[in-house]
Amino acid sequence: MDRIRIVGGRPLNGVIPISGAKNAALPLMIASLLTDGTLTLENLPRLADVNLLMRILGNHGVDYKIEGKRPGDQPIAGQIVHLDAANIVDTTAPYELVSRMRASFWVVAPLLARMGEAKVSLPGGCAIGTRPVDLLLMVLEKLGASVEIESGYVLAKAPSGGLRGADITFSKVTVGGTHTALMAAVLAHGHTVLHNAACEPEVVDLADCLIKMGARIKGAGTPTIEIEGVGRLNGARHSVLPDRIEAGTYAMAVAMTGGDVLLEGARPELLQAGLDAIVASGATVTSNAQGIRVSRNGGRILPVDISTAPFPGFPTDLQAQFMALMTRAGGTSRITETIFENRFMHVQELARLGAHIKLEDDVAIVEGVEKLKGAPVMATDLRASVSLVIAALAAEGETIVHRVYHLDRGFEQLEQKLNQCGASVERIASGS
Ligand code: UD1
């Protein structure tokens, strides 16, 4: 398995282009199942999760074409992909594929809405606590589907006249539940209202794309979303929104190592809670039409308490990275995780680099230390791995991060982006 070697202690200076958001790209690709027209997605990031989802969609009969690069294109410009689901040949999503990426479970909604049935393996994905799908199944049942679980598979069937609009209240804010409801209700008969819907920018991006495909949706980005079902959707062209988690991750890296970096294409309104915390830690953040600029020149990092929350709160997907930053703060900070239990697997790995962190239930108490020192560490999940990279960039000496396939799931060209700003990050291929 590939490893990454990082020699720390260098400030970051320069420009980092921000890729299309993984968490928007995945539901957008899945939405292609809703139409027999062609859905063209621009700014699609080159990621292992995107490639795996192409395979999963291919298995259902989706034809995809990736446009070649044109002369003059930026080296890190996103891909343009045409997805064509005119002929759905299989409504089963098998265990071998779905178990590798939780988001692929969401195919259940468009398959059910368009084909009237779906058989989808219960999901796998990042090991960050139990992640049930009860609310997603609740949505399908509310829309009139029958849902059974048999041998690890969800079997969902629409009633003979198709799905019917409904009034749906989420007991907990769920991004996947909201995506599922949107993709099922757009083709249901009649009116659907979602209460306590997720307000994440990726939900808005999906709704915007569905609207371009002919869906009738109002209120995406607020807790109440209204959907008027239509008989069919058409193809469309849509550009994936920039990745706020990638932007926040690099912003935290700069806040930790010092330096001055422009996060090109990043949008501050997608990341305000994260940026506020970075500013409170003593870094300078400004934004303009090009993106977000983060700098910190000297001075100790200040301790900041944060608590994760659904959007517009502090994102759980930046919790590990912020904890890395806080390991070198001049004082003690408290980091509370409210979305996922067991999302503190990075704590023991950060400790290998010299961090002082104590866990009390869902709170990590981080006592800042003067210095971190390089060490071998193990990536455990996507966001945890990148928190180790950030910490290693600011540590003295060499860190080897093992199991970097987690990083490849969600960070496009991580080494190149960091190295062009002066970092020393090198991939060591397995076997060498
Ligand atoms: C998405 C993101 C993930 C992010 C998370 C929260 C993608 C591909 N993944 O994951 O990166 O960390 O949102 O912002 O977009 N829950 C239930 N029952 C359900 C569904 C969820 O109890 O049926 C709970 C979960 O266990 C969790 C909370 O709801 O405690 C939020 O999860 P959810 O928003 O659904 O996360 P995902 O959509 O899986």
Side-chain angles (χ1 to χ4, degrees):
M1 268 181 252
D2 286 6
R3 288 158 289 159
I4 281 185
R5 180 196 289 133
I6 299 167
V7 181
R10 302 168 183 216
L12 294 168
N13 285 292
V15 178
I16 298 183
I18 298 303
S19 297
K22 171 182 86 79
N23 285 356
L26 301 179
L28 288 167
M29 290 168 69
I30 290 173
S32 68
L33 288 167
L34 285 165
T35 173
D36 58 5
T38 301
L39 179 63
T40 299
L41 296 176
E42 297 173 358
N43 199 32
L44 203 68
R46 292 175 185 77
L47 297 171
D49 273 8
V50 166
N51 295 341
L52 176 60
L53 185 55
M54 298 237 200
R55 277 184 56 200
I56 294 173
L57 295 175
N59 201 54
H60 294 300
V62 177
D63 230 6
Y64 55 86
K65 284 193 199 70
I66 303 176
E67 272 189 24
K69 274 201 176 172
R70 297 202 189 94
D73 273 357
Q74 295 253 354
I76 309 185
Q79 323 175 78
I80 300 177
V81 178
H82 307 278
L83 297 147
D84 181 344
N87 296 311
I88 293 183
V89 294
D90 195 343
T91 53
T92 299
Y95 171 79
E96 296 71 45
L97 295 173
V98 182
S99 59
R100 291 170 55 191
M101 181 177 48
R102 182 179 163 83
S104 56
F105 183 77
W106 302 338
V107 298
V108 71
L111 288 174
L112 178 67
R114 184 164 152 218
M115 307 302 289
E117 59 171 34
K119 178 178 173 189
V120 179
S121 167
L122 286 164
C126 274
I128 48 173
T130 48
R131 293 173 78 179
V133 288
D134 55 322
L135 297 172
L136 281 66
L137 302 184
M138 176 278 287
V139 164
L140 305 179
E141 284 179 329
K142 284 268 181 193
L143 294 170
S146 71
V147 175
E148 279 171 45
I149 297 181
E150 213 180 276
S151 313
Y153 278 80
V154 170
L155 311 175
K157 263 196 166 34
S160 51
L163 297 176
R164 296 183 299 266
D167 206 67
I168 300 174
T169 302
F170 292 102
S171 54
K172 194 172 188 179
V173 175
T174 154
V175 174
T178 307
H179 287 327
T180 303
L182 279 173
M183 288 193 275
V186 285
L187 287 182
H189 296 283
H191 194 68
T192 296
V193 186
L194 308 179
H195 304 278
N196 199 26
C199 302
E200 267 66 6
E202 294 75 20
V203 167
V204 179
D205 209 34
L206 174 64
D208 285 348
C209 178
L210 292 170
I211 290 167
K212 288 181 193 164
M213 292 165 73
R216 294 175 60 193
I217 303 170
K218 273 199 289 202
T222 75
T224 309
I225 303 181
E226 295 194 48
I227 305 141
E228 194 64 48
V230 295
R232 72 174 285 277
L233 294 179
N234 44 261
R237 193 175 184 99
H238 184 79
S239 182
V240 180
L241 96 168
D243 196 321
R244 63 195 170 104
I245 304 302
E246 187 195 27
T249 299
Y250 291 127
M252 287 168 195
V254 180
M256 196 165 186
T257 60
D260 188 340
V261 170
L262 173 69
L263 304 167
E264 200 176 37
R267 283 171 35 195
E269 72 279 12
L270 305 181
L271 187 60
Q272 206 49 56
L275 296 178
D276 289 348
I278 292 169
V279 169
S281 79
T284 303
V285 176
T286 54
S287 49
N288 60 26
Q290 260 108 49
I292 300 174
R293 190 168 159 191
V294 184
S295 62
R296 192 174 67 79
N297 293 307
R300 193 92 202 256
I301 297 164
L302 303 172
V304 183
D305 295 344
I306 57 122
S307 181
T308 62
F311 191 84
F314 190 98
T316 176
D317 286 350
L318 285 175
Q319 179 257 105
Q321 298 89 315
F322 197 71
M323 192 183 299
L325 173 62
M326 288 297 103
T327 60
R328 287 202 50 215
T332 302
S333 55
R334 292 170 63 85
I335 296 188
T336 308
E337 174 57 59
T338 69
I339 310 285
F340 293 110
E341 68 210 58
N342 195 20
R343 201 175 203 183
F344 282 138
M345 262 141 25
H346 40 289
V347 167
Q348 63 189 41
E349 298 302 306
L350 288 170
R352 295 171 61 78
L353 299 170
H356 288 180
I357 306 168
K358 216 167 62 191
L359 288 181
E360 282 178 10
D361 303 322
D362 58 354
V363 184
I365 299 156
V366 187
E367 196 192 307
V369 294
E370 192 85 28
K371 277 193 217 157
L372 298 177
K373 271 193 113 162
V377 291
M378 183 81 80
T380 50
D381 71 54
L382 173 54
R383 311 303 177 185
S385 345
V386 83
S387 78
L388 300 174
V389 171
I390 294 182
L393 290 171
E396 266 181 11
E398 181 182 283
T399 295
I400 307 278
V401 184
H402 294 265
R403 296 204 184 156
V404 296
Y405 58 85
H406 288 293
L407 286 171
D408 297 332
R409 290 189 42 214
F411 287 87
E412 183 174 14
Q413 305 204 29
L414 177 99
E415 302 100 281
Q416 292 86 332
K417 289 187 182 187
L418 288 169
N419 287 343
Q420 71 190 29
C421 290
S424 169
V425 182
E426 183 196 358
R427 183 174 292 248
I428 310 168
S430 55
S432 54

